[in-house]
Amino acid sequence: MTDDERLPQPPTADIDLVTVLHALGDPVRMRLLLSYADGAEHSCDPRGLGLDHLHKSTVSHHMRVLREAGVTTTRVAGRNRFVSLRRADLDARFPGLLDALLASAPQSAAVADVGAGAVAAGA
């Protein structure tokens, strides 16, 4: 893979509503959605995403689920990965969906705490 390539993701026309909603049905992935909603690219470092209580492999899994569902895109630059929300693609496929999800999501750290509780419970 050369610099500045994208990891595999579905084309816009193939993004499926049920798959997107399933991907966002997890509190950790909703926390990631809230982070990515600022429109910027984010590194995969769990600390920068407020998920430092989770193992890096767990965070990577959640990022992969979002990417494969078509919610995010991942740019590869050398050994680094940068994730961003596919807002324009999702808005084109499902107008108003992201706005509704973001408006209804808790904006506090409580979303991340749910993920911590699941880890502590052995989930």
Side-chain angles (χ1 to χ4, degrees), residues 7 28-29 32 36 43-47 49 51 54-68 72 74 81 83:
L7 293 180
V28 173
R29 293 193 287 267
L32 287 170
Y36 300 149
S43 77
C44 295
D45 182 0
R47 293 171 296 184
L49 298 166
L51 298 173
L54 297 175
H55 290 279
K56 188 175 181 179
S57 62
T58 300
V59 176
S60 293
H61 164 76
H62 288 299
M63 290 178 174
R64 180 180 52 84
V65 170
L66 290 173
R67 179 178 47 81
E68 290 177 352
T72 61
T74 303
R81 307 284 189 269
V83 180

Side-chain angles (χ1 to χ4, degrees), residues 2-85:
T2 61
D3 285 352
D4 288 55
E5 287 190 14
R6 300 276 172 188
L7 293 180
Q9 63 188 22
T12 304
D14 291 345
I15 298 174
D16 175 67
L17 179 61
V18 172
T19 305
V20 169
L21 293 176
H22 183 269
L24 294 172
D26 182 280
V28 173
R29 293 193 287 267
M30 277 301 295
R31 174 69 182 100
L32 287 170
L33 177 69
L34 291 171
S35 294
Y36 300 149
D38 65 5
E41 283 189 324
H42 295 266
S43 77
C44 295
D45 182 0
R47 293 171 296 184
L49 298 166
L51 298 173
D52 50 334
H53 60 282
L54 297 175
H55 290 279
K56 188 175 181 179
S57 62
T58 300
V59 176
S60 293
H61 164 76
H62 288 299
M63 290 178 174
R64 180 180 52 84
V65 170
L66 290 173
R67 179 178 47 81
E68 290 177 352
V71 176
T72 61
T73 186
T74 303
R75 181 176 62 88
V76 178
R79 293 178 42 195
N80 298 309
R81 307 284 189 269
F82 298 96
V83 180
S84 58
L85 183 63

